[in-house]
Amino acid sequence: MDESKRVTIIEELKGGGQKEVFRASHPELGEVVFKKIYPKDDSIERTKREVLAVSLLNSAHIPKIYFHNCEQESPNPLWLIEEYVSGQNLRSIIQGGNKFDITQICDFLEIMLDLTILSEEINLVHRDIKPDNIMLDDHNKIWLLDFGIARHLDLESITDTNSPFGVFTLGYASSEQFRNLKKEIDIRSDLFSIGVVAYELLLGENFYIKDSNNDVFQIIKKLENNSIPAIRINGDAQFQLSAFIRLLGDHRRYRRPRTAILAKEIYLSLKPTLNL
């Protein structure tokens, strides 16, 4: 049965380019997200890998993909039926002038570090951790979305090795990622993005983008030469949490924790110093 014909569109959530995203209803599943993707270049293979990533991770903090047509021969359009999460993405929360306190930022870090541990176990790097792809639902539960450019380290890379730039979101990707240094891309690239987002949730601004006038080359230069500065966080009297966020967001790959498990261990060792 073609499950795409069983959904009823409620409203468009996002449109344009290759992808249309709708809130929809399904007779058995209730509210769902229905995505239509119009194939171009490598979109079929990337979508297949997105489905694989979500399936392998199987996390309560990642929306499930219930049905898809990725395995059909030359599907046009591609479609996915996903779990619907009611809430706001972190971008909307930041733009609303809201900032996270120490308890909220610790909840965020713990969930994201646990997800990176799961990712590392299956040789996966999300590569697009940013406020737009993280949701806080109506019950304050954190969800990580959009594995569309996730890198499966044990599969052949889709991105052209000779390209001077990889796939990335400016201001959130580490230098090894946007410079397409494939041999250097590992879980430390995601740890960098988590540090950048944590800083933004606390201060309401992206350290690498602020004061740049959206000058791409200025942002890239800053990403390659500067790390997140120390910040004052209420409840972090010994500046241990501040130092940890700075460690994650260090522009030097070799300075970041080499594994997600090590990052979590460092976090747990400092947690008793915090006033939560």
Side-chain angles (χ1 to χ4, degrees), residues 12 15 32 37 40 54 68 72 79 92 100 103 105 118 155 180 204 215 217 227 230 249 256 258 266:
E12 186 171 15
V32 294
I37 303 159
K40 182 182 178 183
V54 172
H68 60 86
Q72 293 181 6
W79 55 260
S92 297
F100 275 31
T103 300
I105 207 68
L118 287 177
L155 296 178
N180 200 26
D215 183 319
F217 295 105
S227 296
R256 295 173 227 143
R258 67 181 182 278
I266 295 170

Side-chain angles (χ1 to χ4, degrees), residues 57-72:
L57 286 167
N58 190 29
S59 168
H61 293 274
I62 298 171
K64 294 178 175 60
I65 297 176
Y66 296 118
F67 301 105
H68 60 86
N69 69 338
C70 295
E71 300 307 324
Q72 293 181 6

Side-chain angles (χ1 to χ4, degrees), residues 11 14 19 50 54 83 102 127 188-189 197 219 231:
E11 64 174 333
K14 184 170 65 175
K19 185 186 292 187
E50 177 179 6
V54 172
E83 184 176 2
I102 191 168
R127 292 200 300 182
R188 283 173 282 191
S189 301
V197 174
I219 295 169
I231 52 179

Side-chain angles (χ1 to χ4, degrees), residues 102 105-106 109 194-196 198-199 202-203 227-250 266-267 270-271 273-275:
I102 191 168
I105 207 68
C106 284
L109 287 171
I194 292 169
V196 173
Y199 178 98
L202 287 162
L203 273 70
S227 296
I228 290 172
I231 52 179
R232 184 177 296 278
I233 306 169
N234 288 336
D236 181 28
Q238 298 182 34
F239 287 88
Q240 294 292 307
L241 183 60
S242 173
F244 178 68
I245 291 171
R246 191 179 189 200
L247 180 67
L248 295 180
D250 198 303
I266 295 170
Y267 168 77
L270 68 84
K271 190 175 179 182
T273 71
L274 306 178
N275 182 16

Side-chain angles (χ1 to χ4, degrees), residues 61 108-119 260 264:
H61 293 274
F108 166 78
L109 287 171
E110 289 183 27
I111 295 300
M112 297 305 295
L113 291 173
D114 285 343
L115 286 172
T116 57
I117 289 171
L118 287 177
S119 296
K264 183 68 180 291

Side-chain angles (χ1 to χ4, degrees), residues 50-95:
E50 177 179 6
V51 171
L52 176 62
V54 172
S55 173
L56 290 173
L57 286 167
N58 190 29
S59 168
H61 293 274
I62 298 171
K64 294 178 175 60
I65 297 176
Y66 296 118
F67 301 105
H68 60 86
N69 69 338
C70 295
E71 300 307 324
Q72 293 181 6
E73 186 175 350
S74 302
N76 190 6
L78 285 159
W79 55 260
L80 305 174
I81 298 175
E82 299 181 0
E83 184 176 2
Y84 176 74
V85 178
S86 178
Q88 286 185 294
N89 66 27
L90 298 188
R91 173 68 63 216
S92 297
I93 291 172
I94 293 167
Q95 289 177 341

